[in-house]
């Protein structure tokens, strides 16, 4: 058993040290100390025990830490919907016991103990949920604080009226009994952070701080800052007694601009700041300032503070030239992403997202489309920090349900559950809350009102569908159906939602992702938004640019093929594309036992796939070279001949060099160089590579010999693969506090890419959140009872670790039958 000791510096970024992004009050996470019970979904709320009551006996409930997604704790089952990755929903309750004694709050297991929890009679106490999926009801001591049907919205409730000295109980009911309400996996439960917020009764408004860059040059920048206050109506503070101080701090914490003004106890006011020698937020250098707003009251204890990070950048959109960031015209190289991370479900730690985003950026990605809903606040913070543009999207469904597939993607009879059930009552507020919550993030450059709400006959229809169908890139499901909802409704709703967005944030354009462009062109939808996204409709770029010369067009959802990218590079007016997808995701699965979709550049474990290397060759500005191989001939036929297969080089070749001696093998190279040479055991083989014109892939057909195959591109990049021996040992490494990487290697230390050995992993001093290998077809991985055992896939797996707050190190022990294991001890050194 080998042992390895390493030291990691755990960086606590401003997102960890700062407040919840409600922009007011003193905040503390309350993710620990919760208890949980999943109940029979057949019970209606009237039949359920009184689980919201303060004195309900919950002593047998299971302890859980938040964020928590119960869906991935349970086994997949073929009787569930493929739309949700064959995972269950259901109904559950969460409860949290808190005590208020002598003005101090604490959770009964002692996890909430800090000076900022001091609570006085003139304070208000709020609870803030970043996201609960879905149909949540929140109670305090049996009193209903509020309901929120959306599983993606963030929301805040005032607990002050129902607080009691001594014990208090928060109870949350979560109802995901409509298990097939989404086309992809959404998770179930309180799957994002929860915060307690203490604030004076007159305080800054939730999401009330906002800024706009009105002018910028090399010498100065001018900002308009909105400040909004809320008065609970009990202190009767006169307007003249309240003042605000607004400061802008640079990345070193130095105040570089400040202003003061009087403000009312319930008022919205706009002030101006001027910054000398401004630093711009760019993709290469995402410089962030801190905007600090202080509400000064007559008594110091009644002051309130908002701290948000901001970036100074300009956005320009043109129907002829596309998009410019800070005046520089550019192509958007975007990918779509969903909320989940494989075995973790939708309860994804920020460090997991950081690693994923860094890998996407290394491929050449510069933009993320948050499909098809608001995401966790930490993800936006990371995009701000790392320099990635963001399209923030409101919804996937409007007034009527879309098809939800049960037995595989686009297979069998669909279900029609969905979020449409609360659309009319909640969509205006959900859209407004999204924009108010996220508008301070410099990474956001587009607000999307929705995705594919105009899919032909799913559900809307229009007489234009009675054509021959050649103009459509999506199925039209049988032509015009007058009994279906009228597509004219799409334009009316689009106008309403776009206006909500523009009224709150006029500084960014609105957009929508159109699936049925031909149908939507016959409605008011395209003209309702500032920028029009085309899903899989590159064939319309030229024609619609001529027909609608004022329309700004881009690819809002696109395939991975070279032709779709050339439709961007060959047309100046098309500013970019968003690939479907950047990362494999749960749900929208194929037939059982597929967990999800394998359309990503990264797999479910966040590992780069061959398709990711191919995209890097198209998008990266750094030299790229990758080689993979596959059999060029099939099995021997009855006539004694082998059938040739895979005639055209493809972007899915794995980095494997283990074949039969003398077998003819195709070697493909993904590179942004002009040419490359191939060496086998140090000798050049294959001669000059051929280039496939449809994929731009270089390739050779050579006879296999074991050893090391190396490719050297003329741009200086190289890549090699080596014949692997039999599995011999486990190799364990880590580069962040959240990940431990396990590989099966041979006796020479080479990865064995064909290995599927079962690995057992034991952790001391930390919590094992789950193990993931990226195999879409593994239906056993989600069971909570099996989380410390997993077979490798491609010879690899990733373990997700959550260090304990009180521990200074953690130890990982790995073992596998007939293989040499390895222990890893990680010493944590915290830097603030």
């Amino acid at each position: 058993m080998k042992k390895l000791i390493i030291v990691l510096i755990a960086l606590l970024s401003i997102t960890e040290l700062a407040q919840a992004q409600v922009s007011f009050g003193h905040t503390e996470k309350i993710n620990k100390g919760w208890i949980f019970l999943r109940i029979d979904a057949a019970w209606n709320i009237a039949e359920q025990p009184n689980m919201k009551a303060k004195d309900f006996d919950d002593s047998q409930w299971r302890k859980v830490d938040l964020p928590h997604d119960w869906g991935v704790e349970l086994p997949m089952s073929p009787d569930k919907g493929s739309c949700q990755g064959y995972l269950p929903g259901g109904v559950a309750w969460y409860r949290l016991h808190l005590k208020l004694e002598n003005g101090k709050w604490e959770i009964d297991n002692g996890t909430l103990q800090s000076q900022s929890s001091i609570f006085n009679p003139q304070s208000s106490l709020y609870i803030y949920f970043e996201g609960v999926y879905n149909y949540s009801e929140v109670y305090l001591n049996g009193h209903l604080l509020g309901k929120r049907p959306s599983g993606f919205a963030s929301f805040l409730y005032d607990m002050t009226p129902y607080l009691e000295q001594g014990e208090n109980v928060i109870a949350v009911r979560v109802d995901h009994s409509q298990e097939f309400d989404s086309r992809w996996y959404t998770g179930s439960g309180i799957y994002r952070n929860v915060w307690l917020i203490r604030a004076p009764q007159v305080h800054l408004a939730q999401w009330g701080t906002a800024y706009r860059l009105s002018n910028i040059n090399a010498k100065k920048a001018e900002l308009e800052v909105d400040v909004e206050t809320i008065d609970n109506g009990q202190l009767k503070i006169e307007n003249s007694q309240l003042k605000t101080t607004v400061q802008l701090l640079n990345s070193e914490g130095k105040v570089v601009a400040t202003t003061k003004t009087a403000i009312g106890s319930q008022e919205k006011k706009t002030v101006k700041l001027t910054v000398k020698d401004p630093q711009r937020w760019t993709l290469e250098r995402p410089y962030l300032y801190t905007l600090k707003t202080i509400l000064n009251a007559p008594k110091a204890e009644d002051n309130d503070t908002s701290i948000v990070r901001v970036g100074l950048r300009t956005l320009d959109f043109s129907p002829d030239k596309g998009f410019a960031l800070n005046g520089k015209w550019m192509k958007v190289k975007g990918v779509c992403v969903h909320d989940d991370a494989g075995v973790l479900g939708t309860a994804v730690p920020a460090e997991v997202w950081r690693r994923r985003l860094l890998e996407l950026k290394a491929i050449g990605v510069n933009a993320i489309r948050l499909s098809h809903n608001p995401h966790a606040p930490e993800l936006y913070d990371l995009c701000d920090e790392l320099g990635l543009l963001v399209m923030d999207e409101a919804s996937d469904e409007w007034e009527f349900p879309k098809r939800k597939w049960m037995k595989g993607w686009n297979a069998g009879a669909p279900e029609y559950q969905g979020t449409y059930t609360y659309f009319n009552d909640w969509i205006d507020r959900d859209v407004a809350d999204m924009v108010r919550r996220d508008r301070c993030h410099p990474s956001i450059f587009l607000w999307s009102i929705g995705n594919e709400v105009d899919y032909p006959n799913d559900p809307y229809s229009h007489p234009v569908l009675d054509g021959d169908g050649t103009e459509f890139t999506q199925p039209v499901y049988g032509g015009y159906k007058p009994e279906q909802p009228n597509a004219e409704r799409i334009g009316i709703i689009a106008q309403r939602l776009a206006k909500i967005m523009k009224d709150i944030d006029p500084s960014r354009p609105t957009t929508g992702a159109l699936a049925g462009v031909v149908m939507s062109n016959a409605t008011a939808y395209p003209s309702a938004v500032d920028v029009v996204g085309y899903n899989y409709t590159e064939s319309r770029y030229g024609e619609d640019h001529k027909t609608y010369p004022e329309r700004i067009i881009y690819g809002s959802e696109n395939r991975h093929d070279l032709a779709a990218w050339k439709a961007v590079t060959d047309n100046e007016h098309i500013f970019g594309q968003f690939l479907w997808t950047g990362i494999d995701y749960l749900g929208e699965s194929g037939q059982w036992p597929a967990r999800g979709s394998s359309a990503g550049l990264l797999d479910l474990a966040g590992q780069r796939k061959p398709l990711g290397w191919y995209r890097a060759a198209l998008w990266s500005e750094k030299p790229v070279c990758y080689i993979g191989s596959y059999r060029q001939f099939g099995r021997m036929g009855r006539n004694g001949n082998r059938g040739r297969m895979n005639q055209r080089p493809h972007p899915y070749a794995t980095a494997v060099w283990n074949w039969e001696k003398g077998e003819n093998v195709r070697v493909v190279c993904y590179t942004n160089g002009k040419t490359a040479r191939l060496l086998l055991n140090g000798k050049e083989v294959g001669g000059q590579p051929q280039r496939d014109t449809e994929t731009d892939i270089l390739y050779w057909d050579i006879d296999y010999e074991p050893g090391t195959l190396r490719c050297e591109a003329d741009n200086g990049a190289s890549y090699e693969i080596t014949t692997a021996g039999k599995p011999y040992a486990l190799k364990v490494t880590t580069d962040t506090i959240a990940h431990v990487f396990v590989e099966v290697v041979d006796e020479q230390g080479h990865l064995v890419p064909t290995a599927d050995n079962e690995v057992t992993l034991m952790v001391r001093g930390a919590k094992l959140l789950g193990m993931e290998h990226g195999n879409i077809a593994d239906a056993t991985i989600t069971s909570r009872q099996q989380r410390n055992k997993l077979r490798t896939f491609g010879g690899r797996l990733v373990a997700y670790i959550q260090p304990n707050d009180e521990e200074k190190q953690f130890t990982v022990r790995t073992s596998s039958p007939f293989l040499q294991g390895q222990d890893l001890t990680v010493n944590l050194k915290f830097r603030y």
Side-chain angles (χ1 to χ4, degrees):
M1 177 72 70
K2 291 184 178 180
K3 296 183 179 181
L4 181 65
I5 300 176
I6 66 172
V7 177
L8 286 180
I9 296 177
L11 298 177
L12 299 186
S13 67
I14 191 171
T15 56
E16 292 293 326
L17 297 176
Q19 310 155 342
Q21 34 73 290
V22 291
S23 304
F24 77 92
H26 300 276
T27 67
E28 292 179 86
K29 279 183 185 175
I30 51 169
N31 285 346
K32 296 186 176 181
W34 292 80
I35 51 178
F36 165 79
L37 180 69
R38 185 171 179 264
I39 63 173
D40 188 342
W43 292 354
N44 61 48
I45 192 168
E47 296 171 334
Q48 291 172 26
N50 195 14
M51 296 177 180
K52 65 178 181 288
K54 179 179 176 179
D55 59 357
F56 179 80
D57 182 7
D58 53 22
S59 58
Q60 300 303 309
W61 289 24
R62 178 162 67 94
K63 294 180 180 179
V64 296
D65 291 339
L66 306 182
H68 176 241
D69 173 7
W70 80 67
V72 289
E73 295 181 341
L74 300 170
M76 291 173 59
S77 174
D79 65 347
K80 299 298 180 182
S82 61
C83 56
Q84 286 269 349
Y86 301 102
L87 287 164
V91 178
W93 284 83
Y94 295 83
R95 284 167 64 92
L96 182 70
H97 293 253
L98 304 100
K99 292 181 180 179
L100 174 59
E101 299 286 357
N102 300 319
K104 291 187 177 181
W105 280 98
E106 65 177 52
I107 298 174
D108 64 358
N109 65 0
T111 59
L112 182 64
Q113 291 182 354
S114 68
Q115 291 184 353
S116 62
S117 356
I118 300 297
F119 179 77
N120 64 64
Q122 292 185 340
S123 296
S124 296
L125 195 73
Y126 301 88
I127 188 167
Y128 177 64
F129 294 85
E130 292 182 358
V132 182
Y133 205 91
N134 59 348
Y135 285 94
S136 63
E137 302 172 9
V138 181
Y139 299 87
L140 175 61
N141 298 328
H143 300 280
L144 178 66
L145 298 181
K147 300 181 180 182
R148 196 64 180 253
S150 172
F152 305 115
S154 299
F155 52 90
L156 177 92
Y157 297 132
D158 186 356
M159 300 198 300
T160 313
Y162 305 113
L163 290 174
E164 299 176 5
Q165 286 293 319
E167 185 177 24
N168 291 262
V169 177
I170 298 168
V172 182
R173 182 180 188 268
V174 185
D175 184 352
H176 190 197
S177 54
Q178 290 192 52
E179 294 180 322
F180 317 127
D181 61 351
S182 173
R183 297 190 295 155
W184 65 93
Y185 181 72
T186 58
S188 299
I190 307 178
Y191 69 108
R192 296 179 187 165
N193 295 317
V194 181
W195 302 76
L196 275 184
I197 302 164
R198 176 181 61 83
Q201 291 184 15
V202 176
H203 57 78
L204 298 166
Q206 177 187 3
W207 307 323
T209 300
Y211 73 103
R212 292 172 298 281
L213 183 63
S214 54
N215 183 49
I216 188 171
N217 54 45
K219 294 184 178 180
K220 69 175 183 179
E222 296 174 341
L223 288 78
E224 295 179 347
V225 180
D226 295 335
V227 180
E228 189 175 350
T229 57
I230 293 292
D231 188 348
N232 284 345
Q234 297 179 25
L235 293 185
K236 300 180 181 178
I237 296 177
E238 296 180 8
N239 290 357
S240 60
Q241 295 179 290
L242 290 171
K243 293 180 173 61
T244 59
T245 302
V246 181
Q247 299 174 332
L248 193 71
L249 290 72
N250 64 15
S251 62
E252 298 176 351
K254 180 182 177 181
V255 176
V256 294
T258 187
T259 187
K260 296 183 179 182
T261 186
I263 193 168
S265 61
Q266 186 134 351
E267 183 180 3
K268 179 180 177 181
K269 205 161 193 176
T270 301
V271 299
K272 295 183 178 181
L273 289 177
T274 300
V275 188
K276 293 182 180 179
D277 304 319
Q279 303 293 311
R280 294 189 187 230
W281 185 90
T282 68
L283 302 183
E284 300 75 24
R285 184 173 177 265
Y287 191 94
L288 293 171
Y289 291 89
T290 298
L291 184 64
K292 185 176 183 179
T293 305
I294 304 170
L295 179 63
N296 300 111
K299 298 179 181 179
E301 60 267 26
D302 293 327
N303 291 346
D304 193 19
T305 303
S306 165
I307 298 176
V308 295
R309 293 188 304 173
V310 302
L312 308 182
R313 85 289 181 269
T314 60
L315 309 173
D316 293 291
F317 292 83
S318 163
D320 297 315
K321 300 187 69 175
F323 166 69
L325 178 65
N326 296 314
K328 180 181 178 181
W329 299 99
M330 59 176 285
K331 295 297 186 181
V332 168
K333 303 170 182 177
V335 294
C336 306
V337 298
H338 277 313
D339 299 76
D340 73 272
V343 71
L344 297 177
T346 53
V348 185
E351 281 300 318
V352 174
W353 271 116
R354 181 186 293 275
R355 171 174 166 259
R356 290 167 141 218
L357 294 177
L358 285 171
E359 186 64 18
L360 288 174
K361 192 161 185 177
I363 288 172
V365 173
N366 61 21
I368 306 293
R369 179 187 177 205
L370 298 182
S371 316
H372 302 290
N373 51 266
H375 282 49
E378 292 167 320
L379 184 52
Y380 301 83
D381 291 333
L382 288 168
C383 291
D384 291 343
E385 295 172 8
L386 301 178
L388 287 162
L389 295 168
V390 171
M391 184 206 299
D392 208 3
E393 195 154 68
S395 64
D396 184 59
E397 192 168 84
W398 285 0
E399 311 170 284
F400 302 98
K402 293 180 179 179
R403 292 174 172 85
K404 314 297 188 310
W405 300 104
M406 299 293 101
K407 301 299 180 184
W409 181 68
N410 282 0
E415 268 282 351
Y416 289 93
Q417 296 178 9
T419 59
Y420 74 97
T421 54
Y422 58 83
F423 178 85
N424 289 328
D425 293 332
W426 284 93
I427 190 60
D428 289 11
R429 180 171 177 182
D430 286 347
V431 167
D433 283 356
M434 179 186 82
V435 177
R436 282 177 59 84
R437 189 195 74 167
D438 299 337
R439 58 185 166 167
C440 285
H441 291 285
S443 56
I444 295 176
F445 79 126
L446 286 170
W447 299 117
S448 173
I449 60 175
N451 171 65
E452 295 188 347
V453 296
D454 62 335
Y455 206 106
N457 284 321
D458 189 19
Y460 295 96
S461 195
H462 192 279
V464 73
L465 299 179
D466 270 342
D468 60 11
T470 58
E471 294 183 289
F472 290 89
T473 57
Q474 306 278 29
V476 297
Y477 295 110
Y480 175 50
K481 297 182 178 180
E483 70 277 9
Q484 295 282 105
N486 190 327
E488 296 291 343
R489 289 285 303 159
I490 300 173
I492 296 170
I493 295 170
Q495 289 170 334
R496 185 176 99 228
L497 299 185
K499 184 178 185 303
I500 292 171
M501 291 179 167
K502 298 295 283 189
D503 286 347
I504 297 171
D505 178 26
S507 70
R508 297 176 178 89
T510 58
T511 188
L514 278 61
V517 176
V518 174
M519 184 176 77
S520 286
N521 281 343
T523 75
Y525 186 7
S527 61
V529 293
D530 303 308
V531 180
V532 186
Y534 283 34
N535 283 14
Y536 311 103
T537 320
E538 295 88 356
S539 60
R540 302 287 307 184
Y541 286 170
E543 179 180 347
D544 281 14
H545 181 54
K546 293 178 182 178
T547 306
Y548 311 100
E550 298 303 313
R551 182 179 294 182
I552 302 168
I553 303 173
Y554 70 103
S556 44
E557 194 168 310
N558 305 85
R559 293 177 297 274
H560 292 267
D561 56 272
L562 179 62
W565 177 235
K566 287 181 66 65
V568 176
T569 59
D570 293 350
N571 292 284
E572 184 181 18
H573 68 284
I574 303 298
F575 68 74
Q577 66 172 193
F578 286 88
L579 297 176
W580 191 266
T581 59
I583 311 172
D584 292 354
Y585 59 96
L586 297 179
E588 209 162 19
S589 306
Q591 292 183 347
W592 172 266
R595 288 190 286 159
S597 168
S598 59
L601 303 178
L602 311 181
D603 65 20
L604 286 172
Q607 302 165 136
R608 189 185 301 193
K609 297 161 59 177
L611 190 62
W613 281 103
Y614 175 65
R615 185 53 48 170
L618 298 178
W619 279 1
S620 178
E621 296 179 1
K622 296 180 180 179
V624 173
C625 180
Y626 168 92
I627 52 171
S629 67
Y630 50 88
R631 283 190 173 93
Q632 185 55 15
F633 290 91
R635 295 180 179 274
M636 187 75 72
R638 292 181 178 178
N639 58 5
N641 297 324
R642 292 182 182 272
R644 182 174 286 273
M645 61 185 192
N646 296 321
Q647 289 281 342
R648 184 168 298 285
H650 60 70
Y652 309 105
T654 55
V656 175
W657 194 239
N658 281 70
W659 305 105
E660 296 180 13
K661 187 174 177 61
E663 182 178 9
N664 188 256
V665 176
R666 171 154 291 178
V667 178
V668 296
C669 173
Y670 313 146
T671 180
N672 48 14
K674 294 181 179 179
T675 189
R677 68 178 189 144
L678 193 64
L679 299 97
L680 180 56
N681 297 324
K683 296 181 180 181
E684 189 166 352
V685 294
Q688 285 294 315
Q690 300 184 65
R691 183 180 294 275
D692 179 65
T693 56
E694 288 193 21
T695 60
D696 206 34
I697 293 174
L698 302 179
Y699 66 99
W700 302 262
D701 293 331
I702 64 173
D703 292 337
Y704 171 76
E705 289 185 16
T708 297
L709 187 69
R710 178 179 175 85
C711 183
E712 296 177 347
D714 63 354
N715 59 11
S718 63
Y719 196 94
E720 64 182 38
I721 51 180
T722 300
T723 303
K726 295 181 179 179
Y728 174 76
L730 299 178
K731 179 182 177 182
V732 186
T733 58
T734 184
D735 60 1
T736 72
I737 62 172
H739 303 84
V740 169
F741 308 100
V742 181
E743 295 182 344
V744 178
V745 297
D746 63 14
E747 200 163 0
Q748 284 71 45
H750 299 132
L751 172 72
V752 184
T754 56
D756 65 348
N757 301 71
E758 182 179 84
V759 175
T760 299
L761 191 145
M762 305 297 293
V763 181
R764 178 177 296 176
K767 181 179 180 181
L768 175 62
L769 297 178
M771 299 166 68
E772 177 61 73
H773 49 30
N775 183 4
I776 285 287
D778 187 349
T780 67
I781 189 172
T782 62
S783 175
R784 184 167 62 93
Q785 288 73 26
Q786 299 295 323
R787 286 204 168 187
N788 74 325
K789 294 180 183 290
L790 187 66
R791 288 191 175 277
T792 59
F793 181 67
R796 295 186 171 101
L797 62 82
V798 176
Y800 298 111
I801 307 296
Q802 184 179 72
N804 296 335
D805 294 338
E806 64 277 6
E807 298 288 345
K808 295 182 179 180
Q809 70 174 32
F810 65 86
T811 299
V812 175
R813 169 164 290 187
T814 61
S815 62
S816 182
F818 310 111
L819 299 185
Q820 184 181 96
Q822 181 176 333
D823 291 354
L824 177 72
T825 297
V826 179
N827 291 326
L828 299 172
K829 180 181 178 182
F830 290 93
R831 177 159 64 85
Y832 294 88

